[in-house]
Amino acid sequence: MRILLTGAAGFIGTATWRELVRAGHEVVAVDLVIPEAHGRATRDDPPPALHVLDVREAAGWADLFQGVDAVVHLAAMVGAGATAADLPLYAGHNDLGTAAVLAAMHAEGVSRVVQASSMVVYGEGSYTCPEHGGQAPGPRTDASLGGGEFDNPCPVCGGPLDWALVGEDAPLDPRSSYAVSKVAQEGYASAWVRQAPGAAVSLRYHNVYGPGMPRDTPYSGVAAMFRSSLERGAPPTVFEDGRQMRDFVHVDDVARANRAAVEAVVGHDVGSHRAYNVCSGHPIAIADVARHVAAGSGRGLEPRVTGQYRIGDVRHVVASPVRAAAELGFTAEVLPEDGLAAFATAPLRA
């Protein structure tokens, strides 16, 4: 297939470009190479013939769309958004950018798209009470967190709630500029498949890590922060009690999921929009993430669990991999304990 790939020079985009080329696809690579996603420098080895273009101006890409079978749309502003002042950046690059790409696709007769969404669309994860079943907890309070009560309480009995896997049909609850923009992107895709018509897949990536991750950009998640501490000779600092659960998925697995999705979407009926979790399927506590990175560094430093907290952080969010396995044939190959240990010494982007 001939595939147009936006965000092709980014962390996930680079791995996806390599995976698509390895699978025999022809890739048209597009990236604006914005500092927010790429740091102070451009990539050392961008895809050949990289088109440095802004997705918000996709209406002018008629020549790039010629012969394209599908689009993989990864270009985006990333990170939570530090303040409300960041809202226009996310609305511009993510909302308007996605709308412009979809409109240009329709104008040029391209009817299949895979786009990057995120676990952040869920807000909190899924919870159950041993006695009262599934529950939707309210926000954790400053008083409870300050007192070391980190687990969400059951709204019925007040006891601690257990985490459960989040399926794609869970309610969406965006809590940051980035999360709101990702929900909007999914909404645009849902409208576009009916109006164009076309077929779309939104992939909800969980915590992505791996070689080529930028050091000092919003992509630098907690695993990169742990690594940076170790490189300074300091133990990784873990907030709360370290038992908060997440899913960490290797960037090579994310690239494989992107390839599986674009190969599948060409066979989907027009009018269809489907969301999938992209995750390792192996939930892990944040303290164990720190331990694996520390062990891989070989520096002999144990993580330090501080009890510190940030108001607004979710306690648990862990994905169900079932739908992606059943419908896309995607199952992650890299176990978190292996990938995180290797990440401690993997090459990163400046």
Side-chain angles (χ1 to χ4, degrees):
M1 289 192 296
R2 181 175 169 89
I3 298 166
L4 191 151
L5 173 64
T6 74
F11 169 45
I12 295 173
T14 300
T16 299
W17 171 75
R18 289 175 178 149
E19 178 68 20
L20 292 172
V21 170
R22 188 161 41 236
H25 299 298
E26 179 186 358
V27 181
V28 179
V30 175
D31 201 301
L32 187 56
V33 199
I34 59 174
E36 292 86 352
H38 297 268
R40 293 183 299 275
T42 59
R43 294 188 64 255
D44 293 330
D45 55 340
L50 177 70
H51 300 274
V52 181
L53 296 169
D54 191 329
V55 291
R56 293 169 293 185
E57 300 170 359
W61 298 0
D63 56 332
L64 297 188
F65 282 112
Q66 295 306 304
V68 165
D69 299 292
V71 171
V72 176
H73 178 43
L74 306 183
M77 279 286 294
V78 296
T83 71
D86 293 327
L87 282 165
L89 282 174
Y90 288 86
H93 285 281
N94 299 1
D95 297 28
L96 177 57
T98 297
V101 168
L102 293 172
M105 289 175 61
H106 174 57
E108 301 301 329
V110 181
S111 60
R112 300 293 190 273
V113 65
V114 172
Q115 67 174 4
S117 187
S118 170
M119 59 175 273
V120 297
V121 300
Y122 295 122
E124 283 280 358
S126 183
Y127 296 88
T128 62
C129 173
E131 184 176 352
H132 299 103
Q135 297 293 327
R140 297 183 294 171
T141 66
D142 192 49
S144 63
L145 291 167
E149 297 176 5
F150 301 119
D151 283 316
N152 287 295
C154 174
V156 180
C157 67
L161 293 174
D162 297 326
W163 59 269
L165 298 179
V166 181
E168 289 86 350
D169 294 327
L172 305 186
D173 183 20
R175 300 183 177 194
S176 68
S177 304
Y178 177 60
V180 169
S181 73
K182 286 299 174 182
V183 172
Q185 285 185 251
E186 292 196 21
Y188 286 123
S190 292
W192 176 82
V193 298
R194 294 169 174 82
Q195 295 172 330
V201 165
S202 295
L203 298 179
R204 295 171 180 168
Y205 305 146
H206 283 248
N207 296 273
V208 186
Y209 70 97
M213 194 177 193
R215 288 181 180 274
D216 302 309
T217 78
Y219 272 128
S220 301
V222 67
M225 293 168 62
F226 292 155
R227 171 176 164 149
S228 294
S229 294
L230 290 158
E231 290 175 343
R232 294 193 303 269
T237 298
V238 180
F239 279 17
E240 301 187 18
D241 57 3
R243 297 175 184 170
Q244 54 271 46
M245 300 297 292
R246 298 291 189 272
D247 190 297
F248 279 73
V249 58
H250 196 277
V251 68
D252 289 345
D253 280 325
V254 174
R256 284 188 281 269
N258 290 340
R259 177 176 60 81
V262 76
E263 290 173 350
V265 77
V266 295
H268 288 188
D269 293 336
V270 294
S272 68
H273 172 233
R274 195 76 162 147
Y276 298 92
N277 288 324
V278 175
C279 58
S280 73
H282 295 271
I284 187 169
I286 292 296
D288 289 330
V289 173
R291 292 187 187 101
H292 291 312
V293 176
S297 74
R299 294 175 178 264
L301 294 170
E302 286 295 319
R304 184 167 58 92
V305 179
T306 66
Q308 293 173 277
Y309 61 90
R310 292 175 297 197
I311 286 291
D313 278 1
V314 301
R315 178 59 170 169
H316 306 298
V317 55
V318 179
S320 169
V322 171
R323 180 184 289 182
E327 298 183 12
L328 300 180
F330 167 72
T331 302
E333 297 178 4
V334 182
L335 294 174
E337 55 264 37
D338 298 331
L340 289 164
F343 175 68
T345 55
L348 301 185
R349 191 179 308 179

